[in-house]
Amino acid sequence: MAEIVTETQLSEWKEKYPSVYEFIIGDKKAYFRTPSLKEMDAASEQKTNMKYNQTLAKTCLLGGDKEVIEDERYFMSLIPKLDKLVKEFDVEVKKL
């Protein structure tokens, strides 16, 4: 069963974390935050990309339906979107 996330909870998360994201996967909804550099370092120490993604998702999940990281059907759909947690800005590079 999904955890009910209130507007008050969302506001508290937005005050506490630099960025909060709502992910909708099928009929499930979950809320994630951006990871810190320390958390990114810990996730990158995992031996496989799958373990990296699992660590990142578990670390950054704030609330909502935890099934999105526990049920592989949802998690497989979530994986390609996890980079949104890390990439907050588009970067433009110009050769001078």
Side-chain angles (χ1 to χ4, degrees), residues 13 16 23 25 59:
W13 288 336
K16 186 174 181 178
F23 283 61
I25 305 104
T59 299

Side-chain angles (χ1 to χ4, degrees), residues 52-65:
Y52 165 84
N53 287 316
Q54 289 172 327
T55 301
L56 186 64
K58 287 177 184 176
T59 299
C60 297
L61 180 67
L62 294 171
D65 200 322

Side-chain angles (χ1 to χ4, degrees), residues 17-77:
Y17 302 108
S19 296
V20 174
Y21 299 94
E22 177 183 74
F23 283 61
I24 301 170
I25 305 104
D27 60 341
K28 307 296 180 194
K29 190 182 294 187
Y31 298 87
F32 293 85
R33 63 173 174 80
T34 53
S36 67
L37 286 175
K38 185 177 180 179
E39 291 166 333
M40 286 294 301
D41 187 44
S44 69
E45 291 177 3
Q46 302 303 312
K47 295 185 190 286
T48 66
N49 285 339
M50 186 61 71
K51 291 288 185 191
Y52 165 84
N53 287 316
Q54 289 172 327
T55 301
L56 186 64
K58 287 177 184 176
T59 299
C60 297
L61 180 67
L62 294 171
D65 200 322
K66 293 180 181 179
E67 193 173 353
V68 301
I69 63 173
E70 295 169 349
D71 183 317
E72 67 181 44
R73 296 173 305 144
Y74 292 100
F75 188 67
M76 294 298 285
S77 297

